[in-house]
Amino acid sequence: MRPLFRCSALHLLPCTLTTTMATSTLLSSNFHRSFRENPRLNHVATVIPNFSSPKSISLTTPSSLTLSHTFKRTTLKEAFQSLMTLFLTHPFSFQFSHPEAFSMVLELCGSEKAVLQGQQVHAFLVKICGLCGSVFLGTKLVHMYGKCGFFSDAEKVFDRMPDRTVFTWNAMLGAYVSSGNHVKALELYREMRVLGVEPDAFTFPCVLKACGALTDRDFGDEIHGFALKCGFGTFVFVCNALIAMYAKCGDLEGARTLFRNMEDKDDPVSWNSVISAHVSEGRSLEALSLYRRMQEVGVASNTYTFVAALQACENPFFVKLGREIHAVILKANHYSDVFVANALIAMYSKCGKMEDAERVFKNMHFKDNISWNTLLSGLVQNDLYTDALNHFRGMQNSGKKPDQVSVLSMIAASGRSGNLLNGMEVHAYAIRNGMDSDIQIGNTLIDMYAKCSYVKYMNRAFESVPEKDLISWTTIIAGYAQNECHLEALNLFRKVQLEGVNADPMMIGSILLACSGLKSKNLIKEIHGYVLKSGLADILLENAIVNVYGEVGHIDYARRVFESIEPKDIVSWTSMITCCIRNGHSTEALEIFYSLNETNIQPDSIALISALSAAASLSSLNKGKEIHGFLIRKDFVLEGAIASSLVDMYACCGTVENSIKIFNSVKNRDLILWTSMISASGMHGHGNEAINLFKKMIDENVIPDHITFLALLHACSHSGLIAEGKKFFDVMKHEYLLEPWQEHYACLVDLLGRSNSLEEAYEFVRNLPVPPSSEVWCSLLGACRIHSNKELGELAAKNLLQSDMDNSGNYVLISNIFAADGRWNDVEEVRLRMKGSGLKKKPGCSWIEAENKIHTFMARDKSHPKSDEIYLKLAQITKLLEEKGGYRAQTKFVFHNVSEEEKTQMLYQHSERLALSYGLLVTPNGTPIRITKNLRICDDCHTFFKIASEICQRPLVVRDANRFHHFERGLCSCRDFW
């Protein structure tokens, strides 16, 4: 509590003509200097004359009415001129008789925020007039300092006043509130009550504003009760302050009730308060309803009304209403109001209507920094980074100095666009203008350099931040994790713990990303444990943990975390579905998707795309069609990622004709959709159609990327289009300047191998600009196996083992080549090396969708409920093919050192034949049978299926690990090269 007695009053100087003239000369000089130093007052043209030698001095004191007329509607310089004139002409009476003159000048200083001039008046009052007995002028000084934001000076004047009125206390309360010292404001109010000072109606708005800022609902209720007790509860401006306080304290219903119970609703401030309350709580529709009601009852809208109503329209859903309000603003002639114009720019920006926002901005007569910053922020939010940069330069050219907000927007634009050069230019501007030490600027610079993958400068920006906060640490750790500097991210996280900074969920999310990048299951478990012990486990982190366990193949842990999440959101379900797909558990992924449909959570586009991916992986046409139907029923727009996923799903399920229908139905085709359709055509052996699609894509000015060319080269390879494949490889390199990936090289080797150009393929591999990957050697080895080039095949096998020791498929391929040549010792050696590496051969597996269920078969599998019927059917069809189709088992494709009879039996019981037999049992005659196999179909089974398609008079579609095989009338779409 403040002391009850203040320090002694200032002594009054003797007021003589000599002292008056001397002080007048000094103060006149000081006033001149103050105006020169305050750029806010440069627009005033009047010059203060020198009053040190007055020609005559009048002894008649002017009346209060004359003073009021003199000081009203005048500039601050003119007011000083009038004040000095009056003082010099009435030196003996003016200082005691007319404090109103000083009061009016002090009010002008406060409204102009001209603290230097206000201090000159203060000094004048102390030195010449004395201030000891004037409570009125002391109060005006407190008010002036508060309005200028110098609350400490206001506090000093307040403390030295021996006597105070309620107006003095109100002025000090206002000074604290306007400077953001809300706690001190409430302390002063309590002191006021203890000293027995009775508040008036104007006390309550200040105190209520402080309660709202501190969200102190309890104290706000107390003030409300006291206002009612004092009889001020029905005052309109007190009610308005109460509405604002309840809204800021999160009690919207209390604010609404107070507004409903107000008898006088003719004050626009009341409407503005309740509309703003709804806007701040995100209740835009109710806010706009209140605005419409305000118009209906005839209450005139003002600047604050329009600003609040436009803030309610900052959603694309309300853009039409925003345009209507814009029209009302034009009719009401409020268009020139800078606050309204700024609100219009913000509204159009948030609604994604940047052309309208720029039009409003262009038509503004006066633009302040907020106008520029609002436009810059809107352009950045709408990904118009080049336009933002141009307007930033325009801001500088217009004479406006970009402030911290402007610089933050431009740094963010540079980071999101990956424009390092622009980012560094803005960084240099921040350094030149002393902004680089600001923590927000520093943190945004860290993020910008991280997004531009400039890790060195990112670290320098971090080190330059003088006092790092949690955001600084989180941003730098995220930057390292996103730029694959995983160990650096983990080291910084350890440093965070040593510094005593409490990690937040965002930081943990970045650390989980780093652990995923390192493929470290143990580290992920450690971080998971840290999250549980620290109590940080919110739903966002739990979803991230599910995802990261899935990325490292720890699906059991992912499943446990998923099951423990309560309540689950759509991201939880999607994360678990994606986790299952990534780890080859597509059946479980679909089961989870159907479980999601049984909850009250509606699947979003990401969940549905994940489910389509699972259906595609399983070649489950029925499930894919069900999901497609769901998309149509729920009015999803079949464009973008959804359309691409549907094209891919139907292609993977063997019905490329449906892919074409989806593709043709989309109006706005992006690169991903074109690439998906090219890939779909290629995987089904429609190479020429893929090439035609590529040409149409170019005609529509869609620029291909690496993946497009990869799909196109695969299409050429699968269709045996050797010359075309070579041509497109050169087009990619020389016309589109795309450096080939290892996958492109492997495709071209496969293409050359298909035409038995093995020496050319080998020379191509030898002359690659980068070391060949395992995919390249594998393509060459596969071609050598088909064309029986043992010497080159052995060379390719040796290089394959050296390039990739962690892929079991490579060992199996080499082992099979040695087995085909009867080199059983070499076969055994390869198998021992494989076993020593801890690798296992992936077992062959085939599945078929029938009776709305996926039926899976392994070689020699007898686990199916209809196993006996399946084997009987297989024996019948095998016998039929032998008798009518001339089928003979090709035992050379059994790569085991066993008898011929055993080899024959092994061939007969391959998983794809069991799937075929089941399909023949349960599907109607003449309908296509679609089978998927996880490995390459063997040569003998390939022959078996060709003959079966002719004998059974059925289209048979087999999707193996390499491509689709369409068997029909004894032929295959692969032309016996796969």
Side-chain angles (χ1 to χ4, degrees):
M1 188 178 291
R2 297 170 181 274
L4 297 181
F5 299 98
R6 309 292 170 182
C7 51
S8 59
L10 295 168
H11 294 289
L12 200 62
L13 294 175
C15 186
T16 64
L17 183 59
T18 304
T19 58
T20 300
M21 295 301 295
T23 307
S24 167
T25 304
L26 175 63
L27 291 178
S28 178
S29 173
N30 286 343
F31 289 147
H32 276 290
R33 187 178 70 253
S34 298
F35 280 106
R36 285 196 305 272
E37 292 174 355
N38 193 343
R40 295 176 58 87
L41 306 171
N42 286 340
H43 63 281
V44 182
T46 310
V47 178
I48 301 177
N50 190 335
F51 297 109
S52 57
S53 302
K55 292 182 180 179
S56 62
I57 297 176
S58 171
L59 298 176
T60 308
T61 307
S63 66
S64 296
L65 187 62
T66 305
L67 284 174
S68 177
H69 178 74
T70 301
F71 286 98
K72 278 186 178 179
R73 297 179 183 176
T74 186
T75 65
L76 187 54
K77 279 192 175 182
E78 290 167 349
F80 270 118
Q81 179 181 341
S82 300
L83 180 66
M84 294 303 298
T85 302
L86 289 169
F87 178 72
L88 290 171
T89 53
H90 308 285
F92 299 104
S93 59
F94 176 69
Q95 56 179 308
F96 303 108
S97 305
H98 293 290
E100 295 90 350
F102 293 103
S103 165
M104 291 175 186
V105 173
L106 287 170
E107 283 187 12
L108 278 169
C109 289
S111 62
E112 290 276 355
K113 294 194 171 17
V115 71
L116 289 175
Q117 287 71 26
Q119 287 171 337
Q120 294 288 349
V121 176
H122 188 180
F124 186 88
L125 287 168
V126 172
K127 291 181 181 178
I128 302 303
C129 304
L131 202 56
C132 58
S134 180
V135 177
F136 175 70
L137 286 177
T139 301
K140 288 294 179 181
L141 281 166
V142 172
H143 179 75
M144 183 274 294
Y145 280 123
K147 291 282 279 185
C148 292
F150 283 66
F151 82 92
S152 59
D153 291 313
E155 199 173 45
K156 287 175 185 176
V157 174
F158 182 82
D159 286 347
R160 289 174 181 169
M161 291 177 65
D163 298 306
R164 308 183 200 96
T165 65
V166 67
F167 304 111
T168 315
W169 290 89
N170 289 349
M172 194 63 232
L173 283 169
Y176 280 139
V177 171
S178 62
S179 62
N181 285 276
H182 302 108
V183 174
K184 282 193 172 185
L186 295 185
E187 288 174 355
L188 186 68
Y189 171 76
R190 291 188 181 98
E191 181 182 346
M192 180 182 177
R193 295 289 307 279
V194 168
L195 293 175
V197 180
E198 286 295 326
D200 65 3
F202 297 97
T203 308
F204 294 102
C206 285
V207 183
L208 289 167
K209 189 173 182 180
C211 292
L214 296 170
T215 60
D216 191 342
R217 165 68 190 278
D218 293 337
F219 197 41
D221 283 339
E222 184 184 320
I223 302 298
H224 188 180
F226 188 62
L228 291 170
K229 184 178 178 182
C230 296
F232 301 129
T234 57
F235 282 39
V236 173
F237 59 88
V238 175
C239 286
N240 294 342
L242 282 164
I243 290 169
M245 182 274 295
Y246 281 121
K248 286 180 181 175
C249 290
D251 185 8
L252 184 59
E253 191 54 43
R256 288 159 62 102
T257 302
L258 196 62
F259 177 75
R260 280 197 300 267
N261 294 336
M262 285 178 67
E263 294 179 6
D264 181 10
K265 291 192 179 72
D266 295 332
D267 183 9
V269 179
S270 307
W271 288 92
N272 295 346
S273 298
V274 74
I275 291 170
S276 297
H278 282 80
V279 172
S280 62
E281 288 294 312
R283 306 278 284 275
S284 297
L285 196 59
E286 291 94 327
L288 291 167
S289 297
L290 282 164
Y291 169 72
R292 195 174 293 279
R293 178 63 182 155
M294 178 183 177
Q295 291 179 304
E296 289 170 356
V297 298
V299 178
S301 300
N302 59 21
T303 296
Y304 299 101
T305 314
F306 289 126
V307 169
L310 289 169
Q311 287 174 340
C313 295
E314 291 179 354
N315 184 307
F317 183 75
F318 298 118
V319 68
K320 187 177 178 182
L321 290 171
R323 292 188 193 279
E324 290 178 11
I325 295 168
H326 190 174
V328 173
I329 290 166
L330 292 171
K331 289 178 185 175
N333 202 26
H334 273 270
Y335 189 76
S336 58
D337 191 316
V338 68
F339 298 105
V340 174
N342 291 344
L344 279 166
I345 295 169
M347 183 272 293
Y348 281 126
S349 298
K350 296 280 178 67
C351 294
K353 304 293 181 182
M354 286 312 302
E355 289 183 6
D356 295 304
E358 289 191 85
R359 192 178 298 113
V360 172
F361 179 81
K362 186 178 178 180
N363 292 330
M364 289 176 71
H365 301 300
F366 170 74
K367 303 177 182 74
D368 60 8
N369 268 39
I370 295 173
S371 313
W372 286 96
N373 290 339
T374 306
L375 182 67
L376 288 173
S377 176
L379 290 166
V380 173
Q381 288 165 9
N382 287 278
D383 302 334
L384 300 170
Y385 307 122
T386 303
D387 292 346
L389 179 63
N390 292 335
H391 279 286
F392 180 73
R393 289 171 179 155
M395 181 182 185
Q396 293 172 293
N397 295 336
S398 72
K400 288 287 181 186
K401 185 177 181 181
D403 58 12
Q404 179 184 336
V405 179
S406 322
V407 171
L408 283 170
S409 291
M410 292 317 303
I411 296 171
S414 303
R416 293 180 192 178
S417 63
N419 193 326
L420 178 62
L421 184 60
N422 284 340
M424 295 177 81
E425 285 179 9
V426 180
H427 189 180
Y429 177 89
I431 292 170
R432 286 196 306 271
N433 290 275
M435 298 182 189
D436 57 316
S437 59
D438 179 83
I439 193 163
Q440 276 187 290
I441 297 282
N443 292 342
T444 312
L445 282 167
I446 297 166
D447 183 63
M448 182 271 291
Y449 283 121
K451 285 185 168 66
C452 293
S453 302
Y454 211 63
V455 175
K456 182 180 177 181
Y457 272 38
M458 176 188 75
N459 188 57
R460 285 185 187 175
F462 175 73
E463 295 297 336
S464 299
V465 177
E467 293 184 10
K468 301 169 181 65
D469 62 2
L470 177 62
I471 297 172
S472 310
W473 289 101
T474 302
T475 308
I476 187 74
I477 288 171
Y480 277 126
Q482 289 161 10
N483 284 283
E484 299 184 1
C485 301
H486 306 307
L487 289 174
E488 288 86 345
L490 288 169
N491 289 335
L492 269 178
F493 180 62
R494 293 188 183 99
K495 193 173 180 182
V496 163
Q497 293 172 298
L498 293 173
E499 292 275 342
V501 178
N502 293 322
D504 67 351
M506 286 189 69
M507 186 184 291
I508 298 299
S510 297
I511 292 300
L512 286 170
L513 178 63
C515 295
S516 172
L518 292 169
K519 303 297 180 187
S520 174
K521 295 180 181 180
N522 290 333
L523 279 174
I524 294 169
K525 288 179 184 177
E526 283 182 29
I527 300 300
H528 187 187
Y530 175 86
V531 167
L532 295 174
K533 280 187 264 185
S534 304
L536 294 171
D538 62 5
I539 192 164
L540 294 175
L541 259 186
E542 288 174 322
N543 292 342
I545 290 168
V546 170
N547 193 52
V548 80
Y549 273 133
E551 287 177 354
V552 297
H554 231 325
I555 193 165
D556 290 337
Y557 276 71
R559 195 180 292 113
R560 287 182 206 170
V561 176
F562 171 74
E563 289 170 355
S564 70
I565 298 174
E566 287 298 337
K568 298 174 179 66
D569 63 6
I570 187 60
V571 180
S572 312
W573 290 94
T574 306
S575 297
M576 194 62 223
I577 291 168
T578 307
C579 173
C580 291
I581 295 168
R582 187 183 291 118
N583 288 277
H585 297 262
S586 297
T587 303
E588 184 180 351
L590 283 176
E591 289 172 359
I592 293 169
F593 175 74
Y594 282 105
S595 298
L596 165 63
N597 287 332
E598 294 172 4
T599 69
N600 293 324
I601 301 171
Q602 284 295 319
D604 61 5
S605 60
I606 299 172
L608 289 159
I609 288 168
S610 298
L612 285 170
S613 177
S617 177
L618 291 169
S619 297
S620 177
L621 182 60
N622 290 335
K623 301 297 181 188
K625 284 182 175 179
E626 286 177 15
I627 298 164
H628 187 182
F630 182 90
L631 285 163
I632 293 169
R633 288 196 305 276
K634 296 297 181 180
D635 294 324
F636 280 88
V637 179
L638 304 185
E639 290 189 353
I642 291 177
S644 301
S645 298
L646 283 167
V647 167
D648 185 60
M649 181 274 293
Y650 279 120
C652 289
C653 292
T655 56
V656 72
E657 58 275 11
N658 287 338
S659 297
I660 295 168
K661 288 178 184 176
I662 297 292
F663 178 80
N664 290 334
S665 70
V666 179
K667 294 179 181 178
N668 300 314
R669 299 170 186 146
D670 59 11
L671 176 61
I672 298 172
L673 182 60
W674 282 102
T675 302
S676 298
M677 194 62 236
I678 290 168
S679 177
S681 299
M683 74 170 69
H684 287 274
H686 304 156
N688 286 316
E689 290 180 21
I691 291 171
N692 289 334
L693 281 165
F694 179 80
K695 290 176 179 176
K696 287 180 184 177
M697 182 186 83
I698 300 302
D699 290 341
E700 292 191 17
N701 296 319
V702 179
I703 307 300
D705 63 2
H706 283 90
I707 299 172
T708 312
F709 276 107
L710 189 59
L712 188 60
L713 289 172
H714 272 300
C716 292
S717 177
H718 289 161
S719 299
L721 303 173
I722 314 299
E724 290 85 348
K726 287 182 178 181
K727 172 191 165 187
F728 286 120
F729 185 84
D730 289 335
V731 166
M732 177 183 72
K733 285 181 66 177
H734 301 119
E735 288 188 25
Y736 291 95
L737 303 177
L738 295 172
E739 194 62 33
W741 296 344
Q742 293 282 3
E743 291 85 351
H744 296 100
Y745 294 133
C747 242
L748 195 61
V749 170
D750 185 67
L751 204 62
L752 293 169
R754 177 179 289 274
S755 62
N756 200 13
S757 304
L758 295 178
E759 291 299 328
E760 184 183 351
Y762 178 59
E763 284 302 312
F764 176 78
V765 173
R766 281 184 59 197
N767 294 318
L768 287 181
V770 293
S773 67
S774 59
E775 290 91 346
V776 174
W777 289 115
C778 195
S779 293
L780 183 59
L781 182 59
C784 292
R785 178 185 61 82
I786 291 171
H787 297 293
S788 303
N789 190 324
K790 297 178 182 178
E791 183 181 350
L792 192 54
E794 192 159 340
L795 182 63
K798 181 180 177 182
N799 283 284
L800 179 58
L801 285 175
Q802 289 175 350
S803 65
D804 188 0
M805 302 294 293
D806 298 324
N807 188 337
S808 62
N810 294 339
Y811 287 99
V812 172
L813 178 60
I814 294 167
S815 171
N816 289 348
I817 289 173
F818 288 155
D821 201 28
R823 296 166 59 181
W824 298 111
N825 290 334
D826 291 331
V827 169
E828 188 62 28
E829 184 182 342
V830 171
R831 288 177 178 171
L832 286 172
R833 286 182 64 179
M834 179 178 170
K835 188 177 181 181
S837 299
L839 299 173
K840 291 183 180 179
K841 179 185 174 183
K842 187 189 292 184
C845 174
S846 299
W847 58 90
I848 181 174
E849 185 179 32
E851 300 174 326
N852 203 29
K853 187 179 177 183
I854 303 292
H855 300 266
T856 306
F857 299 91
M858 309 286 282
R860 300 181 293 279
D861 187 2
K862 294 189 177 180
S863 61
H864 196 278
K866 295 185 177 180
S867 180
D868 292 340
E869 296 173 59
I870 291 168
Y871 276 93
L872 179 59
K873 186 67 176 179
L874 178 57
Q876 291 172 352
I877 191 66
T878 303
K879 186 177 180 181
L880 188 63
L881 295 188
E882 288 173 344
E883 291 175 354
K884 291 189 176 182
Y887 167 72
R888 295 293 179 269
Q890 302 173 74
T891 56
K892 66 178 181 179
F893 296 118
V894 178
F895 305 116
H896 294 276
N897 193 10
V898 294
S899 67
E900 288 297 309
E901 187 178 346
E902 286 181 274
K903 288 182 179 181
T904 302
Q905 287 302 312
M906 291 172 75
L907 286 172
Y908 284 176
Q909 297 177 18
H910 274 190
S911 61
E912 54 265 55
R913 300 193 196 196
L914 296 174
L916 173 61
S917 300
Y918 181 72
L920 291 169
L921 272 174
V922 298
T923 59
N925 289 332
T927 58
I929 295 176
R930 296 182 177 88
I931 296 167
T932 307
K933 183 170 183 177
N934 65 334
L935 302 176
R936 176 185 180 275
I937 185 172
C938 79
D939 296 65
D940 187 66
C941 288
H942 192 268
T943 303
F944 186 91
F945 272 75
K946 282 200 296 183
I947 300 170
S949 68
E950 185 175 23
I951 299 299
C952 300
Q953 295 184 347
R954 282 207 194 195
L956 306 177
V957 182
V958 176
R959 175 189 171 192
D960 72 359
N962 287 354
R963 57 167 296 153
F964 270 89
H965 301 266
H966 290 263
F967 299 99
E968 198 162 1
R969 298 193 182 101
L971 299 174
C972 179
S973 59
C974 76
R975 301 174 191 174
D976 298 337
F977 191 102
W978 70 101

